[in-house]
């Protein structure tokens, strides 16, 4: 990749004459080492990014007193900051190189994660604006994606990029499910008493529980430091020629915009629902629904006799788990069959699953059986949405390296990821202002549009850009 016109990169960090398309000189072991270290760090990034989504649904239960709208905004803010910060991180790989970018970004995660731990240890003492700031800083973990993924793509030949990027993004996405799955267990585990004072968590219809809520944050800090150390010690950088002005030439290519629309359908949906799943479930079928629960705290009672209020913490990790798993499992298939066909399947699947889920967005409180039936439809519909969005996440990342040349592909991956990272913010705004049903119908319309684009531009016989 080096040439006389490229900037000179000195020092042992920078590789020379790196060409992954040349099998004879490609250092496969270095490429895979880069993938696994960066993937570990990316998993920590997703943990930091979605830590607020695991914490926020229970803030009122441990002593805060926020409105439903305030909680939605808190959960949406990491998405807003991630989208903005991805616009920064997308231009960093050619400028900073993989080593510095991954190591320093991972180290930055330490501060918002530490802040959430401190502010949940003494619930009710932090002003709302301070929690908004912490939610914004958590978006650093989301912003990193637009730097990590393009830089990793530099290390692999095109024929393997679907698998490599799918593994990195998919395993990284498991960080969402990991933090949402482990948080309920960590906060109630008595061995974490040494992490600070305990709190009383009061959920309507259930006995008060002693928890160490700060442990949900503090437990990740050592892993973040380990990731930063591994990146600084073992990673190297590919000297790609692309200053900021050169990277912006992607915007003159119409496929940049088509792929942005498609990735909003896939990762925008995945990230948006991952952040809002717990709050949405609580407000529709849990203690946030005034038609189901009356009162608050220890005096609250369930109005629908025989109905067991679901604990969002027992379910919300399943959505990101399904979506991330689909991204990992379907990535090798995109290398074999091409990405466009799977993006088409993703869009069609999202049309059907979103449409079916809409029937579960209006709880029927006439009986326990009706409520339970609506909840089951809502839950299974959401899991199907996560499944098809995960498939599309894999297929679109296969398409982009096939459509664009190497330097542009990295920029397009970063740009599309940046825009789709606004998913948690847009979903929070949409659910708050429009309500769940109208917002989901917009999702159906968007998926229909994406199916048409995919077929016309990429998947049909004789398509302009088969991928």
């Amino acid at each position: 990749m080096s040439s006389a016109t490229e900037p000179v990169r000195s020092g042992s960090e920078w590789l020379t004459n790196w060409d992954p398309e040349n099998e004879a000189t490609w250092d496969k072991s270095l490429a895979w080492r880069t993938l696994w270290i960066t993937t570990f760090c990316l998993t920590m990034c997703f943990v930091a990014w979605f830590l607020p989504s695991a914490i926020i649904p229970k803030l009122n239960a441990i002593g805060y007193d926020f409105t439903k709208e305030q909680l939605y905004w808190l959960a949406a803010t990491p998405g807003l900051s991630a989208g903005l910060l991805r616009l920064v991180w997308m231009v960093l790989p050619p400028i900073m190189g993989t080593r510095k970018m991954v190591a320093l970004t991972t180290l930055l995660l330490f501060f918002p994660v530490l802040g959430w731990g401190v502010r949940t240890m003494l619930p009710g003492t932090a002003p709302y604006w301070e929690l908004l700031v912490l939610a914004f800083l958590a978006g650093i973990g989301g912003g990193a994606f637009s730097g990590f993924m393009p830089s990793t793509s530099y290390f692999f030949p095109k024929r393997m990029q679907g698998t490599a990027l799918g593994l990195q993004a998919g395993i990284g996405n498991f960080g969402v499910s990991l933090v949402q799955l482990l948080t309920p267990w960590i906060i109630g585990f008595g061995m974490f008493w040494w992490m600070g004072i305990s709190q009383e968590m009061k959920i309507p219809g259930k006995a008060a529980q002693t928890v160490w809520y700060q442990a949900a944050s503090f437990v990740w800090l050592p892993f973040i430091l380990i990731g930063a150390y591994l990146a600084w010690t073992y990673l190297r950088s590919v000297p790609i020629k692309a200053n900021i002005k050169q990277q912006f030439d992607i915007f003159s290519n119409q496929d940049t915009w088509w792929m942005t629309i498609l990735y909003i359908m896939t990762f925008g949906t995945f990230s948006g629902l991952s952040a809002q799943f717990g709050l949405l479930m609580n407000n529709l079928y849990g203690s946030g629904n005034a038609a189901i629960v009356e009162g608050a705290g220890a005096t609250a009672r369930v109005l629908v006799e025989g109905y067991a209020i679901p604990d969002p913490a027992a379910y919300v990790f399943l959505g990101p788990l399904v979506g991330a798993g689909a991204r990992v499992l379907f990535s090798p298939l995109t290398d074999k069959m091409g990405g466009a066909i799977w993006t088409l399947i993703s869009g069609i699947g999202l049309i059907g699953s979103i449409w079916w889920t809409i029937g579960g967005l209006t709880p029927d409180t006439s009986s326990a059986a009706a409520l339970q039936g609506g909840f089951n439809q809502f839950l299974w519909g959401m899991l199907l949405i996560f499944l098809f969005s995960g498939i599309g996440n894999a297929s679109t990342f296969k398409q982009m390296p096939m459509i664009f040349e190497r330097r542009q592909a990295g920029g397009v991956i970063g740009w599309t990821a940046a825009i789709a990272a606004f998913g948690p913010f847009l979903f929070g705004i949409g659910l708050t202002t429009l309500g769940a049903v109208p917002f989901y119908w917009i999702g159906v319309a968007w998926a229909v549009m994406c199916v048409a684009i995919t077929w016309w531009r990429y998947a049909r016989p004789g398509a302009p850009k088969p991928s």
Side-chain angles (χ1 to χ4, degrees):
M1 287 188 187
S2 62
S3 73
T5 60
E6 290 186 5
V8 176
R9 305 289 197 177
S10 60
S12 59
E13 170 190 349
W14 296 95
L15 298 167
T16 57
N17 300 316
W18 180 261
D19 182 8
E21 301 299 338
N22 186 342
E23 189 70 29
T25 61
W26 178 46
D27 188 343
K28 185 183 299 186
S29 63
L30 174 62
W32 284 102
R33 185 176 74 201
T34 301
L35 175 68
W36 296 128
I37 292 176
T38 308
T39 298
F40 177 79
C41 293
L42 185 63
T43 303
M44 292 300 102
C45 287
F46 273 89
V47 165
W49 187 19
F50 282 88
L51 179 64
S53 73
I55 289 175
I56 289 166
K58 297 292 179 62
L59 285 179
N60 286 351
I62 63 171
Y64 283 97
D65 187 24
F66 296 133
T67 65
K68 195 181 295 186
E69 288 72 23
Q70 286 178 311
L71 293 175
Y72 269 132
W73 274 103
L74 271 181
T77 297
L80 172 63
S81 62
L84 295 173
L85 292 173
R86 283 189 178 189
L87 297 175
V88 177
W89 258 261
M90 66 176 279
V91 302
L92 294 183
I95 296 172
M96 293 183 67
T98 299
R99 175 175 173 255
K100 290 188 182 73
M101 182 193 63
V102 174
L104 296 178
T105 299
T106 306
L107 189 61
L108 283 176
L109 304 176
F110 189 89
F111 302 101
V113 173
L114 176 66
W116 276 107
V118 171
R119 283 317 185 187
T120 52
M121 185 162 53
L122 297 171
T125 59
Y128 183 68
W129 69 263
E130 188 174 326
L131 295 183
L132 277 175
V133 170
L134 288 174
F136 189 90
L137 293 176
I140 293 172
F145 189 87
S146 283
F148 285 28
M149 296 296 289
S151 72
T152 299
S153 73
Y154 300 153
F155 287 84
F156 287 87
K158 284 188 175 183
R159 63 182 174 81
M160 296 181 63
Q161 285 189 12
T163 298
L165 296 182
L167 285 172
Q168 179 165 20
I171 295 173
N173 288 170
F174 277 125
V176 183
S177 190
L178 192 65
V179 71
Q180 293 178 341
L181 169 65
L182 294 182
T183 292
W185 176 78
I186 291 171
I187 63 175
F189 197 32
M191 71 169 287
F192 291 118
W193 61 267
W194 54 271
M195 288 189 175
I197 62 176
S198 64
Q199 305 87 37
E200 289 294 311
M201 186 165 66
K202 300 176 181 179
I203 299 176
K206 298 183 179 181
Q209 180 186 3
T210 299
V211 295
W212 289 264
Y213 221 77
Q214 65 275 12
S217 303
F218 291 162
V219 73
W220 301 109
L221 297 178
F223 295 100
I224 290 171
L225 294 177
I226 290 171
Y229 169 78
L230 290 174
W232 187 261
T233 305
Y234 295 106
L235 293 185
R236 299 184 73 186
S237 301
V238 177
I240 296 293
K241 175 192 173 184
N243 58 35
I244 293 178
K245 182 180 179 180
Q246 289 170 325
Q247 292 186 67
F248 283 173
D249 67 0
I250 62 174
F251 299 121
S252 63
N253 189 326
Q254 65 168 300
D255 288 296
T256 298
W257 303 104
W258 297 130
M259 292 308 301
T260 300
I261 291 172
L262 298 184
Y263 201 57
I264 289 172
M265 174 186 73
T266 61
F267 188 77
T269 299
F270 172 85
S271 62
L273 289 182
S274 294
Q276 301 293 339
F277 194 7
L279 281 174
L280 184 60
M281 181 185 297
N282 189 58
N283 290 333
L284 290 176
Y285 290 96
S287 57
N289 189 332
I292 298 174
V293 177
E294 181 181 56
T299 61
R301 65 189 184 94
V302 180
L303 296 179
V304 182
E305 187 175 353
Y307 175 68
I309 295 177
D311 181 0
Y315 297 97
V316 294
F317 74 93
L318 291 172
L321 181 65
V322 169
R327 190 168 197 166
V328 171
L329 293 175
F330 280 84
S331 290
L333 293 178
T334 67
D335 274 336
K336 292 180 179 179
M337 301 172 61
I341 184 63
W342 287 107
T343 301
L344 195 67
I345 292 170
S346 169
I348 294 171
L350 283 170
I351 292 170
S353 54
I354 297 172
W355 175 80
W356 192 66
T357 306
I358 289 172
L361 298 179
T362 308
D364 182 353
T365 59
S366 62
S367 68
L371 260 177
Q372 190 62 51
F375 173 75
N376 290 339
Q377 181 174 354
F378 166 76
L379 177 62
W380 284 106
M382 291 287 284
L383 295 182
L384 284 172
I385 294 172
F386 275 108
L387 171 66
F388 287 109
S389 68
I391 293 173
N393 286 337
S395 60
T396 49
F397 265 46
K398 172 60 178 179
Q399 287 182 264
M400 284 182 268
M402 302 302 295
I403 296 170
F404 303 91
E405 56 101 355
R406 180 175 295 275
R407 177 183 59 79
Q408 282 195 324
V412 174
I413 288 171
W415 164 257
T416 56
I419 299 304
F422 285 109
F425 177 69
L426 295 176
F427 271 65
I429 297 299
L431 292 170
T432 303
T433 59
L434 300 177
V437 173
F439 187 70
Y440 271 58
W441 276 117
I442 292 174
V444 172
W446 191 276
V448 169
M449 175 180 65
C450 289
V451 166
I453 291 171
T454 304
W455 175 254
W456 164 70
R457 186 72 181 168
Y458 306 112
R460 65 182 172 88
K465 289 287 184 177
S467 53

